Amino acid sequence: MENQKRLDEFQAKIDAGIKIEPKDWMPDKYRQTLVRQMSQHAHSEVIGMQPEANWLTRAPSLRAKKILMAKIQDEGGHGLYLYCAAETLGVSRDQYIQWLHEGKSKYASVFNYPSPTWADMGAIGWLVDGAAIVNQVSLQRTSYGPYARAMVRICKEESFHQRQGYEIMAEMAKGTPEQKEMAQEALNRWWWPSLMMFGPHDKESSNSGQSMKWGIKLESNDDLRQQFIDKTIPQVELIGLEVPDKNAKLMPNGSYKTSDIDWDEFWNVIKGNGPCNSQRLKHHKKAHDDGAWVRAAAEAYGKKQMELVD
Ligand code: 3HC
């Protein structure tokens, strides 16, 4: 049984800002929360490659294609840093992937929406990566060392992603009326799903209380969402697009009051009923199966190298 003294010492370490490292003692619930959150985060990075990969072969210029390809590769890399960091909790990558394929592990709801036009590439970079940064800047200070360190590098790359998306949207917004309309429609499509990324309202967030006490989460879902809204609405106005929420209103404290989110839609997508849930998972399983020979070859090569060293 985890005795109170150990728990108190653990909490004192967290309160003093000392990072928890893989070999340190930690309560089971702390480990389980990280296993859930970090694997969910890793899966999100990798599944998140799919809506953008949809446009790789149809990018409007070589420059746009190179940038998009680099961005998608970065996301794959983020998944790898996060799987490595999550493996330090004693769960193998194979197990994490198996949980994803069995539907036992979630990934960010936002990636279950389609990307029908090139403007979606702009909206995803600007809004989805923009929302991810707000959350991840905060997570750079998370209490688990390997997670915090992975976040530092990921944040640097995400800020480039956010800017490339905004550049696409700004260009389209000052293009032909058709291009501007396409940009507006993509903004309308991704606005609400991006706000949902931060998770349910604080009062509905089952994990926040304990996660904040343990320094896994530093800021609440609603506080982070508000930071994103306050940062993004002026960016919408700057490029001459319309905020998709007609009730958005600047308050005297400098913050925007907005309409409430359609939480039924959020929970429905999380339950697997979003427009692309089954497509995303099916594609991931196929890519994983198709890659089996690469993993086998890498493992065999590694074994051979070890034999040579011995
Ligand atoms: N998508 C899917 N599930 C979500 C979710 C979302 N956007 N938001 C919350 N949930 C789930 C939670 O996992 C939890 O599930 P449970 O039933 O298994 O406990 C439930 O809804 C209740 O939510 P909580 O607020 O209690 O959950 P958390 O305390 O874990 O907070 C979170 C949710 C803020 C997303 C937190 O997990 C977090 O900060 N995660 C790390 C960041 C992350 O995963 N980002 C994903 C995007 S990464 C990305 O976008 C890639 C980039 O390159 C664009």
Side-chain angles (χ1 to χ4, degrees):
M1 215 171 76
E2 289 159 355
N3 64 41
Q4 196 56 44
K5 188 165 171 287
R6 273 187 135 176
L7 286 169
D8 290 345
E9 282 169 6
F10 180 79
Q11 188 63 50
K13 248 171 112 173
I14 304 253
D15 295 344
I18 299 168
K19 294 277 179 245
I20 307 301
E21 296 299 338
K23 290 188 176 158
D24 294 348
W25 181 85
M26 59 186 86
D28 283 346
K29 182 83 199 319
Y30 179 85
R31 188 186 296 277
Q32 284 158 14
T33 302
L34 284 169
V35 161
R36 176 186 59 81
Q37 180 169 323
M38 290 171 70
S39 61
Q40 180 170 325
H41 196 162
H43 299 326
S44 304
E45 299 282 354
V46 173
I47 298 267
M49 296 161 81
Q50 292 187 38
E52 290 174 310
N54 185 30
W55 280 90
L56 212 41
T57 53
R58 291 174 285 159
S61 69
L62 184 57
R63 176 181 181 271
K65 184 174 180 144
K66 280 197 304 191
I67 294 173
L68 186 63
M69 187 139 52
K71 197 254 181 201
I72 296 172
Q73 280 178 348
D74 282 354
E75 305 298 1
H78 296 174
L80 297 188
Y81 310 151
L82 284 163
Y83 283 125
C84 287
E87 280 184 300
T88 64
L89 295 159
V91 178
S92 70
R93 187 166 328 176
D94 285 346
Q95 179 65 76
Y96 283 127
I97 303 283
Q98 192 183 326
W99 283 334
L100 173 69
H101 290 173
E102 290 170 354
K104 289 184 185 150
S105 189
K106 298 185 174 75
Y107 58 88
S109 48
V110 74
F111 297 121
N112 292 306
Y113 291 85
S115 50
T117 72
W118 173 252
D120 291 283
M121 300 304 96
I124 292 175
W126 172 30
L127 302 176
V128 177
D129 289 73
I133 299 171
V134 171
N135 186 346
Q136 292 172 163
V137 162
S138 180
L139 284 174
Q140 290 180 112
R141 293 177 289 122
T142 191
S143 57
Y144 188 55
Y147 195 18
R149 291 189 284 276
M151 280 300 116
V152 173
R153 181 156 176 195
I154 289 177
C155 281
K156 288 198 175 113
E157 293 175 353
E158 298 287 20
S159 72
F160 154 76
H161 299 167
Q162 194 266 352
R163 271 177 271 157
Q164 67 85 31
Y166 193 54
E167 183 190 90
I168 293 174
M169 292 298 263
E171 284 299 313
M172 291 187 81
K174 63 176 190 223
T176 63
E178 289 79 9
Q179 286 169 330
K180 186 169 181 183
E181 196 185 332
M182 218 187 260
Q184 182 66 54
E185 283 170 359
L187 169 59
N188 297 348
R189 265 194 294 281
W190 292 92
W191 177 256
W192 295 107
S194 301
L195 298 188
M196 292 175 196
M197 275 177 79
F198 295 93
H201 275 319
D202 293 349
K203 58 182 185 325
E204 308 288 338
S205 165
S206 46
N207 301 295
S208 279
Q210 186 60 68
S211 288
M212 290 180 77
K213 189 163 177 236
W214 277 333
I216 293 174
K217 284 169 82 166
L218 281 302
E219 289 168 272
S220 80
N221 298 358
D222 285 333
D223 285 350
L224 290 169
R225 184 168 18 246
Q226 191 64 47
Q227 286 175 36
F228 173 71
I229 291 170
D230 293 345
K231 215 169 81 158
T232 309
I233 288 184
Q235 294 172 355
V236 175
E237 289 166 348
L238 189 68
I239 57 175
L241 294 181
E242 277 177 33
V243 178
D245 178 358
K246 298 277 172 257
N247 297 321
K249 192 172 165 218
L250 186 60
M251 305 305 281
N253 66 358
S255 224
Y256 288 85
K257 193 170 181 316
T258 49
S259 306
D260 202 10
I261 289 165
D262 179 352
W263 291 110
D264 289 343
E265 176 180 326
F266 172 75
W267 293 115
N268 203 32
V269 172
I270 288 188
K271 277 188 213 136
N273 304 322
C276 300
N277 292 61
S278 58
Q279 179 188 334
R280 299 287 182 247
L281 216 49
K282 202 166 142 201
H283 185 83
H284 190 281
K285 282 180 190 158
K286 183 176 182 316
H288 189 69
D289 291 347
D290 290 350
W293 71 270
V294 180
R295 292 191 298 280
E299 202 174 316
Y301 179 77
K303 250 189 210 154
K304 192 85 201 148
Q305 293 298 307
M306 291 309 284
E307 281 168 20
L308 292 176
V309 171
D310 289 347

